[in-house]
Amino acid sequence: SCEKDEIGGTATEALAGEWMLTVDAVDDAGNVVLTDPFGLGTVLGITYNTVDNVADKMYVSDLANFWDYRVVVNCDCTALTFSTDGNVQNEAYDCQVNIEDGKMLPGMATTPSGMPADSLVYYVSFSDDENPAAYGYAKYKVSGYRRTGFAADEP
């Protein structure tokens, strides 16, 4: 007879995924000061489980598509929120990263093909970034939708 082992998900599966993201420069209140300041268009980012597989920590990474960051954030998989406690060490290279007000909103995005998808939004800043002082903004707003895998939704 065959027995099937039930394979469960990770502790942070509610927040984990691949995301199609845009980056805008914003002021302290979150108002957009510069749209797509680096001319990147849509970039791929990911949120994923830590090796400890705990429900209150996960990784956020831009896969080096924007600034090159990979940081562990605190998360609440019930409230679908995440953030760092101030600046934390970037694991991609030596700098400090602050992620604030991260949230996933189920079904609240519309993909380029017109289909509903989960939405992700957070604010990020970097200790080695001189652009905010030079160009009059405070941080970056990163926002987008869960990657669908459909060609019509890819940039």
Side-chain angles (χ1 to χ4, degrees):
S1 71
C2 295
E3 289 186 27
K4 292 186 179 182
D5 292 330
E6 176 130 357
I7 299 173
T10 65
T12 59
E13 72 180 299
L15 287 167
E18 293 183 328
W19 305 92
M20 303 308 296
L21 302 168
T22 58
V23 178
D24 295 316
V26 298
D27 62 18
D28 284 322
N31 300 309
V32 175
V33 175
L34 296 170
T35 302
D36 193 9
F38 303 107
L40 300 173
T42 302
V43 298
L44 180 63
I46 59 173
T47 53
Y48 60 100
N49 202 49
T50 66
V51 70
D52 295 327
N53 194 30
V54 293
D56 63 347
K57 303 271 187 219
M58 73 173 182
Y59 274 101
V60 174
S61 174
D62 72 337
L63 301 169
N65 289 316
F66 159 49
W67 198 267
D68 195 11
Y69 58 96
R70 182 177 61 249
V71 296
V72 175
V73 297
N74 300 310
C75 64
D76 181 329
C77 291
T78 302
L80 301 176
T81 59
F82 59 94
S83 64
T84 58
D85 287 328
N87 287 334
V88 297
Q89 182 60 44
N90 184 357
E91 294 186 19
Y93 75 95
D94 188 23
C95 86
Q96 299 290 304
V97 179
N98 183 34
I99 292 181
E100 307 171 80
D101 300 323
K103 58 187 132 194
M104 193 272 285
L105 305 164
M108 295 303 290
T110 302
T111 67
S113 67
M115 299 303 296
D118 295 340
S119 172
L120 189 78
V121 63
Y122 60 93
Y123 298 89
V124 64
S125 57
F126 309 95
S127 64
D128 62 341
D129 184 6
E130 297 176 3
N131 292 312
Y135 298 104
Y137 57 90
K139 54 194 168 188
Y140 303 98
K141 177 182 180 182
V142 180
S143 60
Y145 60 92
R146 187 180 298 274
R147 188 177 191 190
T148 66
F150 295 116
D153 293 331
E154 295 291 315

